[in-house]
Amino acid sequence: MESRTVPIISEVNAMDVEKSLRSLIELYKRLGFSIIPLKYKSKEPAVKWTEFQSRKPTDGELREWFSKDNVNIGAVCGSVSGNLAVLDFDNLEVFQRFFEKSPEELTNDTLVVKTRRGYHVYLKTDKSISSFKIPELQLDVKGEGGYVVAPPSVHPTGSRYEFLGNPWKLEHILSVDDLEDWIWSRAAELGVFRFGEKEDPLCIRLLLNGVNEGMRNESAVRLASYWLQFRNLEPGEVFNRLLEWNIRNSPPMDEKELKNCLESVRKHGYEYGCLSMVELGLCSDKLKSLCNLKETFQVKRKRVRHTPSAVLSDGRLIEEAFRDGRVFFTVYDPKTDTISELEEVEDGGIIYRPVVNRDVETGQILLPSRAEEYGDEKILFQEVLNFLDYWHEQLDRFERVLDVLYVFMSWVYDALPKLPYRRALGRWGTGKSAWLETVGSVCYRPTVLAGCDSEASLRRTFDLWRGTALIDEADFNNSSLYASIVKILNIGFSRDAGWYRCCNEKDPKIIDSFYVYGPKLLATRGEFKDVALESRCLTFIARKGSGEAPLFRVDKFKAEALSLRNKLLAWRFRNFHRIAEIMQELEGRGLFKSMFNSTAEPRVAQIILPLYLMFEDEGLRASLQELVERKTEEIRALDPDAWLEDEIPRIIKQLGKEGCSKTSEEQTKIMDALEKTEVTDLQILQNYREGEVGGGFIKLKLKDIVADLLAGEDSKDIDEKTARGMAVKVSKFLRKNYGFMVKKEAKNLSYVYIPVDFLKVKTPPPKKDCKNCKSVTQEVPEKDERGNELLLTDDNFKALFEAVKSYGSDYWTASQVVDDYARAGGRDFWRLIQALSSKKWLKTNPSFWLEQHPRLKGMFRLRRR
């Protein structure tokens, strides 16, 4: 049935208005309203009305005010009028949705006034409320401290305020307990909420109204999870919002309990969605119909990862720093070249937080405190060089430059596929520990491992901090951890293979993996037995200095090292992506051949190549090329079969050419034909090993090969036992390395069957030694800076030998003298070592010297050629 408005005052003549005004004043008095006069056709009070917010006017005041013509009337809201509140609606549709009734139907319950644009609804409540507005509903609620224009007042436009229905039949005004909450609950059902923001789901906004005891903890966890994991707000902001929400709870939670809820969510996360909100009574059918998420709302638990650094998906770099007793992230954005500091960073559903433990406070892990500008790369390079020179003496300037290069490399190591280790080799008292502490202090996130007392703590420290490991052999040499250290070193040079795997300590069925890839500084007294591991070490021989370097490294040292770490952090930020891009060149074909001598050991070139590509300075690159050659000589000397690999192809070809076996005239023709071939070593070896051979075989006597190998030995030292031992060794070498057939034939002679294709290999020219180690066949003697002859002739050998012998049985001191001679370009080391070893006071033999001294091993191999 269509509703219609039935105004109480339908006539506007003066007599009717006066009569109606008197009757309405009586009605207002009966209903307990405090009323005031308003100016005619206005909402402005005609008197000072403040006092009438706390008291009702007297009858005399009412007669004085309303005996005049042309006056409007106002009803004061709040406690003075019995906790009167008036809801002012400007929209009829909203009114009907809010009350689920028409204005006329509501007149049976309370006063309803027709205004110029809408309706006033008079309500009372158990406690007064303040005025507020709900713009989304075009609703203005008048409460304590407010008033409304009441009938029969006239609007400035001339329209009159009129009651709907018959107000005189009402005994009282409709009363609603907790009126403010009721208004907001009704508004919520219309999709309008008191708290929250437009983007918040409706159930969350409903929850923000506050809850009763019994739902507070669950609600706090859900709100914290929503703000942290869905809205990605900072923890501090989330806690402030929780405090604001807690005030509306009945009763409020203890602040400590509220903080525990937040920390629980931060640590463990919390997941929920639409279904659980329905079960909790926070989502109704009406809210579902209004919600734009349509049951797709889902707060998912975000994975929290504690890490000292990370490269984010958008290219940003985060690095843990430590300052004023707290850890935080220094964040670099390469797109804007800006640096900021944050407590945590979120990326791709992962919340990154700094690692927090006592290692930082105790100085076992050294972090930067901020990123500092460093000028340009050359200035920073020199600053690092000066720092190392001040706090540690390094007599060899190339080794010092290599120290600086290794420091820079450590700050971008995670962009490299493989890297070398840097090692100081020497006896006690030669400054290894000082070098380890000095160089280590400016490397990338230096990690002191000396305090690790178990394998578990060792591998967890590697995996947790992923920085530059500082390893002193003296800390582990006599412990069960030495084997673990060696294992870590064997795999920790490769970014892909650097995972230490072991059974879980509690459940052996579970395999745990720990990442041990990263730069490492080593201080050892002896070499590693494993040649492969030895080849990955950039080694220098530690020696006693002049004593000028400080013996203690305390406050000044720490401050200078921190400043350099801060600058190197900024260098990492600005160069990481550039170097990562350069490293992509490592997979290019021919790169090794174009940058290093063909004789370079690939394993050595592999660890030097990243350093080579990082810096474009030609002088540095030339030094690194020389380093590859020198390191190749040392590493090949560690392999007892390396010299055979050089000598045997030459001997086989020479024997074939000379016709030592003299098996047939056909064989001589084959050898003559082979002289005219132009096939490379690699092609022939590859074809041979793949079985693509042809042209038959020639036979060589094994004893002829052995005789040639032993030709350089002193005839007095060669006996039948030595020759037989060499024959067995060569036979195994030929089978293992080349797959040649070696068998005994007539007269118990052993023959080696050489494929013709293998004989096509052109014998390489004699290899040149590194610049610091001249060829042993060179006849012109070298001279030092003072003009002293360095060639070890018969005249000066005796003097050098006596100088070494004067050190008595001190092997390491004698070794340093020999090493100095080697670095100066001396020759004929085997003769020197034989002489030294022949003396009983040394109680050693040549093999002992060669096992302990890498440079001598390299020179001995040269002598063999």
Side-chain angles (χ1 to χ4, degrees):
M1 180 177 179
E2 183 178 354
S3 64
R4 61 187 180 87
T5 301
V6 184
I8 297 298
I9 303 175
S10 56
E11 302 294 337
V12 293
N13 58 72
M15 184 179 295
D16 290 340
V17 170
E18 182 180 353
K19 180 180 179 181
S20 297
L21 180 59
R22 288 197 300 269
S23 62
L24 286 174
I25 289 175
E26 292 300 321
L27 174 65
Y28 295 148
K29 289 173 61 178
R30 178 170 64 84
L31 294 174
F33 294 173
S34 174
I35 56 177
I36 58 174
L38 305 178
K39 293 180 181 179
Y40 184 62
K41 288 188 176 182
S42 172
K43 299 180 180 181
E44 183 181 349
V47 296
K48 293 182 178 181
W49 71 288
T50 305
E51 62 179 298
F52 301 107
Q53 297 179 40
S54 57
R55 76 171 179 87
K56 294 182 176 70
T58 64
D59 290 342
E61 289 171 327
L62 290 175
R63 283 193 299 271
E64 180 184 354
W65 293 341
F66 296 108
S67 62
K68 302 174 183 178
D69 296 333
N70 299 329
V71 62
N72 280 356
I73 187 171
V76 179
C77 300
S79 57
V80 71
S81 296
N83 295 329
L84 175 66
V86 178
L87 279 59
D88 182 4
F89 287 91
D90 285 343
N91 185 285
L92 175 60
E93 180 183 357
V94 173
F95 181 104
Q96 292 174 327
R97 290 172 56 205
F98 188 90
F99 289 105
E100 297 181 336
K101 292 181 179 180
S102 67
E104 292 76 19
E105 291 172 325
L106 192 60
T107 59
N108 296 323
D109 303 316
T110 193
L111 294 177
V112 179
V113 175
K114 178 70 176 71
T115 66
R116 175 181 175 272
R117 293 190 300 177
Y119 301 88
H120 284 174
V121 178
Y122 287 64
L123 300 171
K124 286 192 176 183
T125 183
D126 57 341
K127 57 183 179 181
S128 64
I129 63 172
S130 300
S131 300
F132 63 92
K133 295 181 180 181
I134 305 179
E136 297 90 340
L137 299 180
Q138 300 179 52
L139 172 61
D140 188 357
V141 179
K142 294 295 184 180
E144 194 74 44
Y147 66 89
V148 294
V149 181
S153 301
V154 179
H155 192 270
T157 61
S159 62
R160 193 173 290 279
Y161 290 82
E162 302 170 335
F163 281 113
L164 300 182
N166 185 358
W168 285 276
K169 72 178 183 179
L170 292 174
E171 296 293 331
H172 53 78
I173 300 297
L174 179 64
S175 180
V176 179
D177 293 340
D178 293 324
L179 178 60
E180 185 173 1
D181 289 342
W182 179 81
I183 292 172
W184 280 109
S185 65
R186 292 296 300 153
E189 294 183 6
L190 301 179
V192 179
F193 296 87
R194 183 177 184 180
F195 305 104
E197 302 170 9
K198 289 183 178 180
E199 58 266 32
D200 293 332
L202 303 186
C203 53
I204 293 294
R205 299 193 68 175
L206 183 61
L207 192 61
L208 290 174
N209 290 330
V211 295
N212 296 323
E213 189 173 7
M215 286 187 61
R216 296 174 305 171
N217 285 71
E218 176 69 20
S219 300
V221 168
R222 293 193 177 218
L223 287 174
S225 178
Y226 168 73
W227 283 322
L228 280 174
Q229 300 171 186
F230 195 85
R231 291 289 302 278
N232 302 320
L233 300 182
E234 293 294 325
E237 172 66 15
V238 172
F239 187 64
N240 289 336
R241 293 192 178 202
L242 286 174
L243 289 174
E244 182 182 340
W245 163 79
N246 191 40
I247 296 174
R248 301 189 287 272
N249 291 329
S250 180
M253 300 171 62
D254 181 74
E255 186 173 317
K256 182 178 180 181
E257 188 177 2
L258 195 65
K259 184 174 292 185
N260 289 338
C261 290
L262 174 60
E263 291 304 315
S264 176
V265 173
R266 290 191 67 191
K267 185 175 182 179
H268 305 291
Y270 187 83
E271 293 187 358
Y272 64 93
C274 288
L275 181 60
S276 67
M277 297 301 271
V278 172
E279 295 172 348
L280 205 60
L282 294 170
C283 185
S284 63
D285 291 338
K286 287 186 177 180
L287 285 183
K288 284 183 182 180
S289 64
L290 296 171
C291 184
N292 59 358
L293 296 177
K294 303 300 181 186
E295 300 187 4
T296 61
F297 172 60
Q298 184 74 30
V299 176
K300 294 184 178 180
R301 181 186 292 111
K302 293 184 179 179
R303 185 159 59 94
V304 177
R305 178 183 173 190
H306 291 273
T307 180
S309 64
V311 181
L312 305 184
S313 60
D314 58 0
R316 287 180 298 160
L317 300 175
I318 60 174
E319 285 293 331
E320 183 169 351
F322 178 73
R323 186 175 69 244
D324 299 329
R326 69 182 185 93
V327 292
F328 56 91
F329 278 134
T330 303
V331 184
Y332 174 69
D333 188 344
K335 297 177 182 177
T336 58
D337 192 31
T338 55
I339 297 173
S340 58
E341 296 180 355
L342 296 174
E343 297 294 331
E344 62 181 32
V345 179
E346 182 179 346
D347 180 59
I350 301 176
I351 299 175
Y352 292 95
R353 292 176 185 159
V355 175
V356 180
N357 67 20
R358 294 202 62 200
D359 286 345
V360 178
E361 298 176 6
T362 58
Q364 304 309 294
I365 306 296
L366 301 181
L367 299 175
S369 61
R370 58 173 55 86
E372 293 183 14
E373 291 300 329
Y374 55 88
D376 60 42
E377 192 174 82
K378 290 184 178 180
I379 294 176
L380 183 58
F381 191 99
Q382 189 62 45
E383 284 189 43
V384 176
L385 184 68
N386 293 342
F387 171 82
L388 299 184
D389 281 342
Y390 181 86
W391 295 101
H392 171 261
E393 287 188 74
Q394 174 61 272
L395 303 178
D396 190 319
R397 298 317 298 164
F398 175 74
E399 296 293 353
R400 175 58 81 218
V401 170
L402 198 56
D403 286 336
V404 179
L405 289 175
Y406 199 85
V407 168
F408 275 86
M409 185 207 69
S410 72
W411 282 88
V412 289
Y413 88 90
D414 43 340
L416 312 180
K418 288 181 173 59
L419 47 74
Y421 305 139
R422 182 71 171 134
R423 181 178 66 175
L425 179 66
R427 59 172 297 187
W428 65 272
T430 55
K432 300 191 303 298
S433 297
W435 170 84
L436 190 70
E437 183 179 1
T438 302
V439 178
S441 68
V442 291
C443 283
Y444 180 63
R445 205 180 302 129
T447 307
V448 179
L449 299 178
C452 296
D453 68 343
S454 66
E455 182 184 0
S457 64
L458 189 65
R459 59 177 184 258
R460 290 182 187 279
T461 300
F462 269 102
D463 186 68
L464 180 63
W465 289 107
R466 304 190 179 192
T468 303
L470 310 185
I471 304 175
D472 193 331
E473 183 184 43
D475 297 321
F476 302 100
N477 196 30
N478 296 320
S479 75
S480 59
L481 295 182
Y482 184 76
S484 299
I485 290 287
V486 171
K487 180 177 180 180
I488 288 172
L489 293 177
N490 277 327
I491 62 176
F493 72 97
S494 172
R495 185 172 61 191
D496 294 332
W499 289 96
Y500 189 113
R501 304 175 67 213
C502 59
C503 292
N504 184 274
E505 296 172 1
K506 296 182 179 179
D507 187 354
K509 296 180 181 179
I510 299 176
I511 302 297
D512 292 331
S513 295
F514 301 88
Y515 202 52
V516 297
Y517 171 65
K520 298 171 182 64
L521 299 182
L522 312 175
T524 66
R525 296 185 183 183
E527 295 175 335
F528 297 108
K529 296 179 180 179
D530 183 9
V531 176
L533 175 55
E534 189 67 29
S535 69
R536 299 185 184 106
C537 297
L538 302 178
T539 303
F540 75 94
I541 304 299
R543 297 190 185 88
K544 290 182 179 180
S546 65
E548 293 184 3
L551 294 179
F552 296 94
R553 290 166 287 279
V554 196
D555 294 339
K556 179 182 178 181
F557 172 79
K558 292 178 180 178
E560 292 180 0
L562 176 60
S563 177
L564 283 177
R565 289 199 302 273
N566 291 344
K567 293 178 180 181
L568 287 163
L569 174 60
W571 180 85
R572 168 182 167 82
F573 283 158
R574 300 233 164 81
N575 289 274
F576 178 84
H577 289 295
R578 174 184 68 84
I579 292 173
E581 186 175 346
I582 291 175
M583 290 304 110
Q584 296 178 6
E585 300 177 17
L586 292 174
E587 294 185 303
R589 287 178 59 84
L591 187 63
F592 165 77
K593 185 177 180 180
S594 65
M595 294 185 177
F596 300 111
N597 190 299
S598 60
T599 62
E601 177 65 34
R603 185 188 299 272
V604 176
Q606 187 183 58
I607 63 173
I608 302 298
L609 191 55
L611 277 174
Y612 187 94
L613 294 176
M614 278 174 56
F615 298 95
E616 298 179 353
D617 184 270
E618 292 301 323
L620 286 177
R621 287 190 166 187
S623 297
L624 290 172
Q625 287 175 323
E626 178 182 324
L627 176 64
V628 170
E629 295 180 16
R630 184 195 306 175
K631 188 68 177 175
T632 295
E633 293 297 328
E634 294 178 1
I635 295 305
R636 289 177 64 84
L638 294 174
D639 184 356
D641 292 337
W643 70 283
L644 293 177
E645 191 170 344
D646 291 336
E647 294 295 309
I648 285 181
R650 179 189 62 78
I651 292 173
I652 288 176
K653 186 170 182 180
Q654 186 63 33
L655 291 177
K657 182 177 181 180
E658 294 174 356
C660 290
S661 297
K662 298 181 180 178
T663 54
S664 65
E665 182 179 341
E666 178 183 359
Q667 180 165 300
T668 303
K669 294 180 179 179
I670 291 176
M671 294 306 302
D672 291 339
L674 290 176
E675 290 296 319
K676 302 177 182 179
T677 62
E678 296 292 338
V679 185
T680 66
D681 299 21
L682 184 61
Q683 289 173 329
I684 295 304
L685 288 176
Q686 182 177 352
N687 292 341
Y688 174 69
R689 288 169 181 169
E690 292 176 355
E692 299 176 2
V693 295
F697 299 84
I698 65 169
K699 293 194 302 182
L700 295 178
K701 291 179 181 178
L702 180 60
K703 71 173 186 178
D704 290 342
I705 300 176
V706 171
D708 195 282
L709 288 171
L710 296 175
E713 301 288 350
D714 192 328
S715 59
K716 295 183 297 182
D717 296 331
I718 302 176
D719 53 21
E720 183 178 354
K721 183 178 179 180
T722 301
R724 187 181 301 111
M726 180 62 74
V728 172
K729 183 175 183 178
V730 171
S731 178
K732 290 181 178 179
F733 178 83
L734 292 172
R735 291 192 181 99
K736 177 181 176 181
N737 290 63
Y738 296 111
F740 292 170
M741 181 175 62
V742 181
K743 68 175 184 177
K744 289 186 177 181
E745 296 185 1
K747 299 181 180 180
N748 202 30
L749 292 177
S750 294
Y751 288 87
V752 180
Y753 284 76
I754 311 296
V756 171
D757 284 352
F758 178 80
L759 294 172
K760 294 178 182 177
V761 176
K762 299 181 67 177
T763 304
K767 297 178 182 179
K768 294 182 179 180
D769 307 316
C770 63
K771 296 178 181 179
N772 289 334
C773 304
K774 304 300 180 181
S775 172
V776 293
T777 60
Q778 182 176 332
E779 295 181 0
V780 179
E782 294 291 321
K783 296 181 182 294
D784 63 13
E785 295 178 354
R786 299 179 181 179
N788 297 323
E789 187 178 79
L790 300 178
L791 180 62
L792 191 60
T793 62
D794 290 336
D795 295 333
N796 60 24
F797 173 79
K798 185 176 181 180
L800 175 61
F801 174 72
E802 291 299 327
V804 175
K805 189 175 69 172
S806 67
Y807 288 103
S809 59
D810 189 340
Y811 159 72
W812 278 106
T813 307
S815 177
Q816 288 185 17
V817 173
V818 176
D819 188 57
D820 287 339
Y821 182 80
R823 298 178 67 82
R827 294 171 299 231
D828 205 358
F829 283 86
W830 182 243
R831 184 180 178 190
L832 173 62
I833 298 307
Q834 280 187 315
L836 290 172
S837 302
S838 67
K839 300 301 178 182
K840 294 181 180 180
W841 54 265
L842 264 177
K843 297 182 181 180
T844 60
N845 52 51
S847 63
F848 171 80
W849 283 81
L850 296 176
E851 284 299 321
Q852 298 296 324
H853 206 287
R855 192 176 305 282
L856 296 181
K857 280 185 275 191
M859 299 310 297
F860 171 57
R861 194 184 65 77
L862 291 177
R863 186 268 164 199
R864 285 289 198 182
R865 284 210 300 268

